[in-house]
Amino acid sequence: MTEPHPVNRRRIMAAGAAVAAASLAAVPAHASGQNERHHEEPVPTVVLVHGAFADGSSWAPVTGRLQRLGYEVKAVANPLRGLAFDAAQVRAVLDSVPGPVVLVGHSYGGAVITEAAAGAANVEALVYVAAFVPDAGEVLGELSARFPGSELEPALSAVPVTGPDGRPGLDLYIRPDRFRHVFAGDVPGSTARMLGAAQRPLSATAFGDRATVAAWRTIPSWNLVATRDRGIVPELQRFQARRAGSRTVEITSSHLPLYSRPDAVAALIKAAARTVTSS
C-alpha cells in the first residue's frame, strides 16, 4: 500500500489547479397516518448531499427522522472528485425528481449544492449544515483560509493516485488519530472510529476548484452553524450565512451535527420544507 504523504495548502492547491487545467428526496407524496400534515398536502422531496470523507449513510440519523415525518428522502452519492464533476452528478439527480425539492448540503456538500442548484427549476430551498457556501468565483481552499482556526489541513494525509484518464492526482483522507478531534468531537468514540475507518477520500482538486455560480442568490436558504466546528470554523459559517441572507440557527456541535444533533438538523430541514409547502 502506498504510504500517505503530509499535506499542505500549497500542495493541495497546486494539485487542484493542475488537474483542473488538464481536464477542464420526495416526489409529491401523500403523508402517512403518522405524518402531521393533512394527507392531501404535497410535500417536497428532500435531497441530501454529503460532504468530504463520507458517503450517503452519514445522513442516516437525519434520514430516519425525515422519513418518519412523511418526507421522501434521497441521500445521493457525492463522488468527491471535484466541484464541477460532483455538481453535475447531483444535478442529474435533481433533474430526475418530479415536484419541488429541498436541497441540503453538509460540509463540502454545501459547495456542491450551491453549484448544482443553479437553474434547477424544482429546487425551492437550500439548507446548509456546517457547510461551505461559496460565491461565484471563489476557490474553496482560499475561502477556508479567510477565517483562521480550522484544524483540518494539518490532519490530512494524501495518497497519490492515478485517475481513470491516466493522470496523476492526490486523494485526501483525515488521519484516523485526528478524525474524532477535528470532525466528531461530540460523537461517541465508537461511532467516530467507525466513520473514520469508512471515510471516502476527497480529490485534492476540490480545494483548487473555482465556483462558477451561487444558487443562494436566487433560491431561499437556511443555515445551521455548528459552534464547535474545528473543520469549517464557526466564523466562516456565520459570514457565509449573513452573505447569503440565510435563515440561520446556531447549535453547540462539532462538524458532525448529523450524528450529534440530528433532531436539530431535521428541524431546520422541516422548517425549510414547510415554507415550500405553504408557498
Side-chain angles (χ1 to χ4, degrees):
M1 177 177 177
T2 306
E3 290 295 322
H5 295 277
V7 175
N8 57 55
R9 182 177 288 109
R10 182 174 296 177
R11 189 177 185 207
I12 293 172
M13 295 287 288
V19 175
S23 59
L24 266 197
V27 298
H30 299 304
S32 69
Q34 299 298 316
N35 191 347
E36 59 195 49
R37 292 183 174 84
H38 189 277
H39 72 283
E40 291 183 351
E41 184 179 353
V43 296
T45 299
V46 178
V47 176
L48 305 172
V49 180
H50 64 82
F53 319 112
D55 60 23
S57 68
S58 65
W59 285 105
V62 176
T63 298
R65 285 163 170 79
L66 294 172
Q67 288 175 332
R68 286 192 291 274
L69 290 170
Y71 292 100
E72 183 77 15
V73 180
K74 292 181 179 292
V76 305
N78 182 359
L80 306 181
R81 296 296 86 192
L83 186 56
F85 183 84
D86 298 342
Q89 300 303 301
V90 171
R91 179 57 179 267
V93 173
L94 297 176
D95 290 344
S96 74
V97 178
V101 168
V102 173
L103 183 58
V104 188
H106 171 242
S107 188
Y108 165 70
V112 175
I113 70 169
T114 298
E115 191 94 0
N122 59 340
V123 177
E124 298 192 14
L126 301 169
V127 182
Y128 296 96
V129 180
F132 284 117
V133 189
D135 200 354
E138 290 182 336
V139 175
L140 291 187
E142 296 171 356
L143 180 61
S144 179
R146 186 176 300 183
F147 292 84
S150 174
E151 298 182 45
L152 176 60
E153 182 187 319
L156 294 175
S157 63
V159 175
V161 296
T162 301
D165 59 0
R167 294 189 176 96
L170 291 175
D171 270 358
L172 303 179
Y173 296 83
I174 300 177
R175 299 200 326 260
D177 63 319
R178 301 300 294 164
F179 188 92
R180 189 181 187 199
H181 175 77
V182 174
F183 249 41
D186 55 355
V187 174
S190 59
T191 301
R193 287 191 295 273
M194 180 271 294
L195 294 172
Q199 64 180 294
R200 291 178 54 236
L202 174 70
S203 172
T205 62
F207 287 102
D209 288 343
R210 191 175 300 276
T212 63
V213 290
W216 48 262
R217 289 195 171 276
T218 56
I219 301 173
S221 63
W222 285 252
N223 201 306
L224 185 145
V225 173
T227 62
R228 293 184 179 174
D229 196 333
R230 295 188 176 107
I232 302 176
V233 296
E235 290 79 7
L236 175 57
Q237 294 181 43
R238 293 182 183 114
F239 162 76
Q240 295 174 130
R242 288 193 301 270
R243 180 173 68 175
S246 301
R247 304 178 201 188
T248 303
V249 299
E250 295 198 3
I251 64 170
T252 303
S253 171
S254 69
H255 189 65
L256 283 183
L258 315 184
Y259 277 85
S260 64
R261 300 291 302 277
D263 287 329
V265 175
L268 186 63
I269 296 170
K270 178 181 173 182
R274 277 182 161 174
T275 67
V276 171
T277 302
S278 62
S279 61

